[in-house]
Amino acid sequence: MRTAICERFGIEHPLFAFSHSRHVVAAVTGAGGFGVLGAAAYSPDRLDAELSRLDEEVGGRPYGVNVPAPATVDLRATATAGDAFTRVADLIPERHRDFVAHLLAKYGVSTLDPLPGHLAAPAEEFGRRVGPAGAAALAEVALKHPIALIAGASAAPDAALVAKARAAGVPVAASVGTVEQARRHAAAGADVIVAQGTEAGGHTGEITTMVLVPQVVDAVEVPVLAAGGIASGRQMAAALALGAEGVWCGSVWLTTEEAETSAPVRRKMLAATSLDTTRSTARTGRPARQLRSAWTDEWDEATESPGALPPPLQTLVAEAAMTRIGRAAESGNPGAERLAGYFVGQVVGQLDRVGPTRQVVQEMIEEFGAAVARLRGVIDM
Amino acid sequence: MRTAICERFGIEHPLFAFSHSRHVVAAVTGAGGFGVLGAAAYSPDRLDAELSRLDEEVGGRPYGVNVPAPATVDLRATATAGDAFTRVADLIPERHRDFVAHLLAKYGVSTLDPLPGHLAAPAEEFGRRVGPAGAAALAEVALKHPIALIAGASAAPDAALVAKARAAGVPVAASVGTVEQARRHAAAGADVIVAQGTEAGGHTGEITTMVLVPQVVDAVEVPVLAAGGIASGRQMAAALALGAEGVWCGSVWLTTEEAETSAPVRRKMLAATSLDTTRSTARTGRPARQLRSAWTDEWDEATESPGALPPPLQTLVAEAAMTRIGRAAESGNPGAERLAGYFVGQVVGQLDRVGPTRQVVQEMIEEFGAAVARLRGVIDM
């Protein structure tokens, strides 16, 4: 296949795969696509180690790193002394702590045994990382590796990130949900725009992929990747018909063999229809599409809900609880299974089996070819 | 162009145009597409007259009629005696009448002068028509004309309509927002399924076109038209790449020269971005995408709002007020202009000029060809 994006990145298929699993990233890059590792789940040290392994695994083929969006509450401003996490944690109101305790009790998730250190740590690390300093530290680590793209999603362009990436000769991709954001990011130096529709998993706007992509393509000069609603070759062909140079997929990898998804969440995803997602603030404080669960229902609808906190505080509240919930769900606790969830797009209704990542890529490319051949037939006959 | 739908209906382009304007319908059918007249705005007698004119205008080329979905509140049950409309109007609570009076006063729309009969009538007629008896009467009129399709949108298939259409040899199209609805309607005898994404104008579900269409195509045996987010040739090509046999467009005609849209509403549409729609119950009692306006903001967000009534009552409340608001807006009342609105999809952000319907069709078909040629290039090169 040939698109401007294939030539620019030296890839066979204009298929970008966002995943928090290094194994998914390596498999997509190995299959001729372009894997992008989501760094939000890692500390700088662990990211460094993961990328070193990835460098070996991809054997010179291109891959990228996605750094989390800087949070609204500036962690540096509150971390005047001592441990940054402790300072931020102090900002969580008692009402919100109480509501979480109430939820865990209501659904039978024990809070009695303290989490062992290696499980308690991720929540704290997550808290540190979602601030601007954390995002910058991750970007710094990423740029020490031979990455071919650094990506991020934020309402306003991050001038420091663009400058550092430029200096390292690494192109920058920016995720956007409106034409206005696309214009701003392109003007600030983004080399690739990811136009992401409301059907996507994670933080999304309100405009759908079908409507957003052609408008963004017309508004900016740089190549556009389409994101949201793309988990098959037909959807990939549709995205390219809209004018995108390639696609950016996240949800489709969550049910692969290489995914980081826990067994209970994967089961939920395989069973879900496209109506079983919700765009909720319950996990990060910003509207993010995810599996609808008892967690999102309670935060969004319960009369006793205090409402989600602004970012990054809601992430601290949610991830600490989710660590407990995830463990309990994996050991078969039915209440925990109801609370468990994860970011995923409306395409979750299409995901109905577990297979190797490489096979997902191959099937998408084959179906893409068939869709284009069918379109040719519509005109030729 | 050749798709199963082109062959079945003897049309040149697989482009279905839903419009309340007979002129749009005639122009699209004349340009090689397939016009579908929305009947909800007409009394049975007026529909009969419009269709007689249309029969002359299209000169034997195919067109269709769309009948409104039967309402939730059964009008027959309440119309025990006398005028059906009076009975239904009696069901509107005082709080809702008061809220409308408050809104008209707040935005400076006079309620002092009674509406002249020819303007007051439509609201009453609308009230009669949105019930099952009204919908059936319109279908009866439509089936007396040489129509090539009868279409409707409802959660459950209308067995009586399907039987009557069958007897008349007229294919039936059903609009759906979920895979489950598509299966139900196909099983009940629908000949064509219109898979309509959440970005569409009017009554819509939550799933986007990009996600919904391939799932519906895989779930039913009959041809599928894609609706929602389609107002250009690229979007048409994307819909066919998803597996649709054709497209069903409504919003794109609202800014044509032939449209029924009032001047103030058309101005709003030309100025709107894709963020300026909302899926609100404020106009019909069911979630319907429309221009965001002071009317939708007040009903959906004001603390004194009594909330929308169930269908068809909210339609009675809204359309009577909208008749006044529309008149005041046309004479330059700024408050009325803020309240004025209309059903339209997220593609409203693409609509930026007024042109003839025939030209819109031609440009869509040309852009469709260019999009397919581009996709060919991606694979061939």
Side-chain angles (χ1 to χ4, degrees):
Chain A
M1 279 195 241
R2 277 288 156 252
T3 73
I5 215 93
C6 287
E7 282 164 31
R8 167 127 202 193
F9 290 97
I11 51 179
E12 231 176 298
H13 315 302
L15 171 55
F16 287 65
F18 171 81
S19 174
H20 289 103
S21 157
R22 189 188 92 227
H23 307 294
V24 168
V25 171
V28 172
T29 285
F34 190 108
V36 180
L37 186 71
Y42 299 105
S43 67
D45 284 351
R46 267 201 60 210
L47 180 64
D48 198 30
E50 287 290 299
L51 295 185
S52 296
R53 277 188 226 132
L54 205 43
D55 293 336
E56 287 170 28
E57 286 164 7
V58 299
R61 284 177 178 248
Y63 75 92
V65 171
N66 191 88
V67 293
T72 303
V73 175
D74 189 337
L75 299 202
R76 286 166 304 188
T78 60
T80 46
D83 180 59
F85 172 68
T86 310
R87 296 281 83 74
V88 177
D90 287 349
L91 296 175
I92 298 172
E94 205 56 34
R95 283 179 68 206
H96 291 76
R97 295 177 197 278
D98 290 348
F99 185 62
V100 170
H102 154 73
L103 285 185
L104 295 178
K106 176 172 172 186
Y107 289 88
V109 179
S110 166
T111 52
L112 288 181
D113 30 49
L115 288 172
H118 71 284
L119 283 173
E124 298 188 16
E125 286 179 14
F126 208 98
R128 288 199 195 90
R129 280 194 300 280
V130 291
L138 290 172
E140 200 117 347
V141 166
L143 289 170
K144 283 184 194 149
H145 291 264
I147 60 172
L149 182 75
I150 190 156
S154 59
D158 184 333
L161 175 63
V162 172
K164 273 185 213 156
R166 276 266 177 285
V170 175
V172 177
S175 241
V176 304
T178 68
V179 174
E180 193 41 46
Q181 285 174 0
R183 285 209 185 92
R184 276 208 306 270
H185 280 282
D191 303 286
V192 173
I193 297 288
V194 181
Q196 178 171 281
T198 187
E199 55 265 73
H203 296 120
T204 63
E206 291 170 29
I207 306 171
T208 72
T209 299
M210 192 70 125
V211 173
L212 180 67
V213 170
Q215 291 186 40
V216 170
V217 166
D218 290 347
V220 300
E221 306 266 310
V222 296
V224 173
L225 300 177
I230 304 166
S232 73
R234 279 177 286 178
Q235 288 159 330
M236 192 176 165
L240 268 70
L242 294 174
E245 294 285 338
V247 296
W248 173 281
C249 310
S251 303
V252 70
W253 318 113
L254 294 172
T255 52
T256 61
E257 289 168 6
E258 291 86 353
E260 75 280 16
T261 333
S262 73
V265 166
R266 194 177 303 197
R267 273 198 302 276
K268 277 188 159 182
M269 288 183 176
L270 294 171
T273 75
S274 291
L275 289 173
D276 296 324
T277 73
T278 178
R279 200 167 150 266
S280 165
T281 57
R283 189 114 178 201
T284 70
R286 291 193 294 143
R289 191 173 298 282
Q290 53 198 288
L291 278 179
R292 192 178 157 187
S293 65
W295 178 268
T296 60
D297 283 352
E298 293 279 0
W299 278 95
D300 295 341
E301 290 161 28
T303 47
E304 64 272 32
S305 167
L309 289 165
L313 302 180
Q314 186 67 17
T315 297
L316 290 195
V317 169
E319 295 310 313
M322 281 299 162
T323 304
R324 279 187 191 284
I325 290 165
R327 283 182 83 205
E330 294 209 59
S331 47
N333 178 324
E337 283 181 22
R338 291 180 60 200
L339 288 169
Y342 199 55
F343 305 110
V344 71
Q346 288 189 339
V347 294
V348 71
Q350 298 168 225
L351 308 179
D352 53 9
R353 65 203 157 94
V354 175
T357 296
R358 171 173 283 273
Q359 189 181 322
V360 173
V361 174
Q362 284 167 350
E363 285 174 3
M364 283 183 75
I365 300 307
E366 275 165 32
E367 195 182 289
F368 175 86
V372 175
R374 185 173 166 276
L375 275 179
R376 272 165 106 129
V378 168
I379 289 206
D380 287 348
M381 271 175 62
Chain B
M1 279 196 243
R2 277 286 155 256
T3 73
I5 217 95
C6 287
E7 282 164 29
R8 166 126 202 197
F9 290 96
I11 50 179
E12 228 176 300
H13 314 303
L15 171 56
F16 287 66
F18 172 81
S19 175
H20 289 103
S21 157
R22 189 188 93 227
H23 307 294
V24 168
V25 171
V28 171
T29 285
F34 190 107
V36 180
L37 185 71
Y42 299 106
S43 68
D45 283 353
R46 267 201 60 210
L47 180 65
D48 198 31
E50 286 291 297
L51 294 184
S52 296
R53 278 187 225 131
L54 204 43
D55 293 335
E56 286 169 28
E57 286 163 8
V58 298
R61 281 177 179 248
Y63 75 92
V65 171
N66 191 85
V67 293
T72 304
V73 176
D74 190 336
L75 298 202
R76 285 167 304 187
T78 59
T80 44
D83 181 59
F85 172 68
T86 310
R87 295 281 83 76
V88 177
D90 288 348
L91 296 175
I92 298 172
E94 205 58 33
R95 284 180 66 205
H96 291 76
R97 295 177 198 278
D98 290 349
F99 185 63
V100 170
H102 153 74
L103 285 185
L104 295 179
K106 175 172 172 183
Y107 290 88
V109 180
S110 165
T111 52
L112 288 180
D113 30 52
L115 287 170
H118 71 285
L119 282 175
E124 300 190 15
E125 286 180 11
F126 208 99
R128 288 199 194 87
R129 281 193 301 279
V130 289
L138 290 172
E140 200 117 346
V141 166
L143 289 169
K144 281 182 192 148
H145 291 263
I147 60 172
L149 183 73
I150 189 157
S154 59
D158 184 332
L161 175 64
V162 172
K164 273 184 211 158
R166 276 267 178 287
V170 175
V172 177
S175 241
V176 304
T178 67
V179 173
E180 192 42 47
Q181 283 174 0
R183 285 211 184 92
R184 277 207 305 271
H185 281 282
D191 302 287
V192 174
I193 296 289
V194 181
Q196 178 172 281
T198 188
E199 55 266 72
H203 296 120
T204 63
E206 292 170 30
I207 306 171
T208 72
T209 299
M210 192 71 125
V211 174
L212 180 67
V213 171
Q215 290 186 40
V216 170
V217 166
D218 290 345
V220 300
E221 306 265 311
V222 297
V224 172
L225 300 177
I230 303 166
S232 73
R234 279 177 285 178
Q235 289 159 329
M236 192 175 163
L240 268 70
L242 293 175
E245 294 285 337
V247 296
W248 173 280
C249 310
S251 303
V252 70
W253 318 112
L254 294 172
T255 52
T256 61
E257 289 169 5
E258 291 87 351
E260 76 281 17
T261 333
S262 73
V265 167
R266 196 178 304 196
R267 272 198 302 276
K268 279 190 159 184
M269 287 184 179
L270 294 172
T273 75
S274 291
L275 288 174
D276 297 325
T277 73
T278 177
R279 199 166 151 267
S280 165
T281 56
R283 189 112 178 204
T284 70
R286 290 193 295 143
R289 192 173 296 283
Q290 53 199 286
L291 279 179
R292 193 179 155 184
S293 65
W295 178 268
T296 60
D297 283 351
E298 293 279 1
W299 279 94
D300 295 340
E301 289 161 27
T303 46
E304 64 271 34
S305 167
L309 290 164
L313 302 180
Q314 186 68 16
T315 297
L316 290 194
V317 169
E319 294 311 312
M322 281 299 160
T323 304
R324 278 187 192 285
I325 290 165
R327 284 183 84 205
E330 295 210 59
S331 47
N333 178 325
E337 283 181 21
R338 291 181 59 200
L339 287 169
Y342 199 55
F343 305 109
V344 72
Q346 289 189 337
V347 294
V348 71
Q350 299 167 226
L351 308 178
D352 53 9
R353 65 202 158 93
V354 175
T357 296
R358 170 174 283 274
Q359 189 181 322
V360 173
V361 173
Q362 283 166 349
E363 285 175 3
M364 282 184 74
I365 299 307
E366 275 164 34
E367 195 183 289
F368 175 85
V372 174
R374 185 174 166 275
L375 274 179
R376 268 167 110 131
V378 169
I379 288 207
D380 287 350
M381 270 173 65

